Amino acid sequence: MPELPDVETFKNYLEKTSLNQKIKNADVRNNKILKKVSKQKLNKELKGNALKSTQRHGKHLFVALENKSWLEFHFGMTGFLKYFKDIEEDTKHDRFMITFSNGHHLTFDNQRLLGYVSLTDSPQSSIKEQKLGPDALDIDYKYFKEILSYPRATVKSTLMNQSKIAGIGNIYSDEIFYKAGINPGRKNKDLKEKDIKILFSCLKKVLKTAIEKKTQPKDLPKTWLLRYREQGQVCPKCRGKIKRKKFSGRGSYYCPKCQK
DNA sequence: AGTACCACCTGACGGC
DNA sequence: TGCCGTCAGGTGGTAC
């Protein structure tokens, strides 16, 4: 699930539910979700502490702790946050749980264990260490054009390359290409200036709209591809058939008629 | 150096 | 019912 708009939504959710409460306990249920931190260290760091503020970079969520260190979440393909009181809501995929002194819990649900929780000195140092590019919402046209200047890569893999732009994954890149009317299998070198301009504006538009709608599929525009990600579905623009094809190893949906 | 591809996990689904 | 292959909104390591 989690690409930039999803993580932004998680960020807002965490801010609304979990800030400024004393942490009573932290519980790691599966060590596979830990990155560069031990269970003991994480527990010790969190206990008695509080979550103070949040920051997002690409698909990464950083949460400042009262004692100045930072908690980092990466959601992988199946991660999300859950805040609840009733312990019935705790499921087997809740790999990590913070319990606040008010009796509520914040959990990191991560079915496929491809995400992680970590501890870092600052978002900046973690971003640098992981070689993340600038956040997709922060880049300007000049920079965008620059990253598309590597001729051999396909456009889609460039948009999804986190070291070039942070935040775009498989779903939203398909959406951007659909809106722009550009085939995701094209090579960077085949793009004309006008294609790059359209791609750039669609990139910003798609991400912002998704955030505004809190990524709820039912609230997203009916003309979005996201709702028709299935082979043979009808394209909402031309009534043609949606096709699925692999580009750089990822299943991509597109309309062959609308996207050249 | 830049790019493509597999492995890492769990689970759901369709075909036989 | 079970087994198999395939797929899933991510990404690190590795091989070209």
Side-chain angles (χ1 to χ4, degrees), chain A residues 136-145 148 159 176 180 182 194-206:
Chain A
L137 288 179
D138 292 337
I139 60 165
D140 59 19
Y141 181 68
K142 185 168 167 278
Y143 180 80
F144 187 61
K145 209 172 142 178
L148 287 170
L159 249 68
I176 291 162
I182 289 171
K194 75 167 171 39
D195 298 324
I196 301 177
K197 276 189 177 147
I198 290 175
L199 260 184
F200 181 73
S201 84
C202 291
L203 180 155
K204 300 280 183 175
K205 189 83 197 300
V206 163

Side-chain angles (χ1 to χ4, degrees), chain A residues 153 178 189 195 209:
Chain A
Y178 179 69
K189 70 169 160 47
D195 298 324
T209 305

Side-chain angles (χ1 to χ4, degrees), chain A residues 26 28 31 34-47 49 65 67 69-71 96 118-121:
Chain A
V28 175
N31 289 331
L34 294 177
K35 186 175 172 183
K36 295 187 149 206
V37 67
S38 70
K39 190 171 170 166
Q40 291 73 21
K41 170 127 202 270
L42 187 61
N43 285 347
K44 189 166 166 249
E45 193 80 14
L46 288 174
K47 216 167 168 174
N49 216 324
L65 302 173
N67 72 354
S69 95
W70 293 73
L71 195 58
F96 171 61
S118 189
L119 220 48
T120 180
D121 294 338

Side-chain angles (χ1 to χ4, degrees), chain A residues 147-158:
Chain A
I147 60 170
L148 287 170
S149 68
Y150 296 95
R152 303 205 314 282
T154 55
V155 223
K156 174 152 171 164
S157 64
T158 303

